Amino acid sequence: MIANCLIADDEPLAVELLKKYVHELGTLKLVGTCSNAMEVSSFLHHNQVDLLFLDIQMPKLSGIELLKVLKSPPGIIITTAHREYALEGYEFDIVDYLLKPITFERFVASIEKFYLRKKNILTAQSALSPTIQEKFIHIKSGTKTHQINLDIITYIESLKDFIKINFDDGKRMLVKYQIGQIEIKLPSNFIRVHRSYIINRKKITTFTSTHMEIGSNSIPIGQNYKNKVEDSFGDIEFIL
């Protein structure tokens, strides 16, 4: 994957050198250049940027001052002629620190660091996703937000402007939600089988062409959902 990069520097010669290096390397896509921190902030707000080459000394607001106010900064490679800023820059978990004049060899090494860090982050996120990201759902009720373990939900029933969430232990939770609102939050093992019901397919005990059974609860399969239910069961054949 080629990363989008942005160059932020008020020195035209420095900008041209970085543009040349980006073009020669071929593993980055230059999406813009900025000459001050205000332009950088606006650009990041409206565009997808993966890597920012950031000069320290810029008019109005320094690069360090900009880092202090950015909420979700991209990867940062600091570019500056002043070695004394290195320690302060690393406090912001930057990718690398390039001292001007920047050589192509040193530039390449920084980009390798960036892609290695990106790979490590993606690997960590992939490892977390089944255990954390998909294990819980957050449901707002009044001023409270409930964190609910998806593994203990058996099925969800729509009751006009409310939904009733049914759990393994027989307990229920009634919250003011539209069933469509919660449907889009749920992982693929939850199936909408009726306009009023979503089931956790892991909890199904038996099923027929017209009903799903979860323990002693019989849940109807709606006419408009039959094809979707059939597709979700893959190679299991039953007449709908």
Side-chain angles (χ1 to χ4, degrees):
M1 176 184 173
I2 294 180
N4 290 341
C5 69
L6 174 68
I7 297 172
D9 201 311
D10 63 332
E11 299 176 17
L13 291 178
V15 171
E16 288 304 313
L17 180 65
L18 286 174
K19 287 170 68 175
K20 178 175 179 290
Y21 286 171
V22 168
H23 176 73
E24 289 180 357
L25 187 59
T27 60
L28 296 172
K29 178 183 178 182
L30 180 63
V31 292
T33 62
C34 299
S35 60
N36 62 66
M38 298 297 98
E39 290 180 5
V40 174
S41 180
S42 177
F43 193 94
L44 292 178
H45 184 70
H46 295 97
N47 300 274
Q48 173 61 42
V49 176
D50 303 301
L51 176 63
L52 171 62
F53 294 99
L54 181 64
D55 186 28
I56 294 292
Q57 290 192 318
M58 292 190 295
K60 298 181 181 179
L61 199 70
S62 74
I64 294 296
E65 290 170 331
L66 175 63
L67 288 178
K68 290 178 180 179
V69 298
L70 287 179
K71 298 296 184 183
S72 300
I76 304 291
I77 294 178
I78 286 180
T79 62
T80 183
H82 301 276
R83 189 183 301 273
E84 63 268 23
Y85 290 117
L87 183 59
E88 188 175 5
Y90 278 116
E91 292 177 3
F92 295 95
D93 192 30
I94 66 168
V95 174
D96 205 358
Y97 181 95
L98 292 179
L99 189 64
K100 297 177 181 179
I102 302 166
T103 66
F104 184 63
E105 180 181 8
R106 187 66 183 84
F107 175 85
V108 172
S110 283
I111 304 309
E112 289 297 316
K113 279 187 179 181
F114 164 72
Y115 274 112
L116 179 60
R117 174 180 288 204
K118 191 175 181 68
K119 179 182 177 182
N120 290 339
I121 290 172
L122 290 174
T123 300
Q125 289 176 342
S126 177
L128 285 173
S129 61
T131 57
I132 295 178
Q133 293 179 350
E134 294 184 3
K135 190 171 183 179
F136 295 95
I137 188 172
H138 295 101
I139 302 292
K140 289 185 177 181
S141 179
T143 59
K144 294 182 178 180
T145 298
H146 299 274
Q147 178 170 277
I148 302 172
N149 188 333
L150 290 166
D151 289 340
I152 65 172
I153 297 175
T154 54
Y155 68 97
I156 299 167
E157 181 181 0
S158 174
L159 300 171
K160 293 187 178 180
D161 293 331
F162 292 80
I163 57 170
K164 182 165 64 176
I165 304 173
N166 297 269
F167 300 104
D168 275 339
D169 59 3
K171 292 182 179 178
R172 299 177 178 86
M173 175 186 289
L174 190 67
V175 289
K176 191 170 183 180
Y177 252 80
Q178 297 291 329
I179 194 168
Q181 289 178 293
I182 195 169
E183 182 181 12
I184 62 175
K185 294 173 175 280
L186 296 168
S188 59
N189 58 292
F190 283 83
I191 310 167
R192 182 90 174 262
V193 298
H194 188 279
R195 63 186 179 87
S196 298
Y197 291 96
I198 297 172
I199 64 163
N200 184 348
R201 64 177 296 166
K202 295 179 181 179
K203 306 297 181 179
I204 297 171
T205 48
T206 60
F207 58 86
T208 70
S209 62
T210 59
H211 286 78
M212 294 285 178
E213 293 184 7
I214 298 178
S216 60
N217 300 292
S218 181
I219 298 163
I221 299 173
Q223 185 65 36
N224 294 333
Y225 293 86
K226 287 189 175 183
N227 289 336
K228 180 181 177 181
V229 171
E230 183 180 35
D231 291 342
S232 72
F233 280 85
D235 59 354
I236 297 177
E237 295 184 3
F238 58 101
I239 299 172
L240 294 177

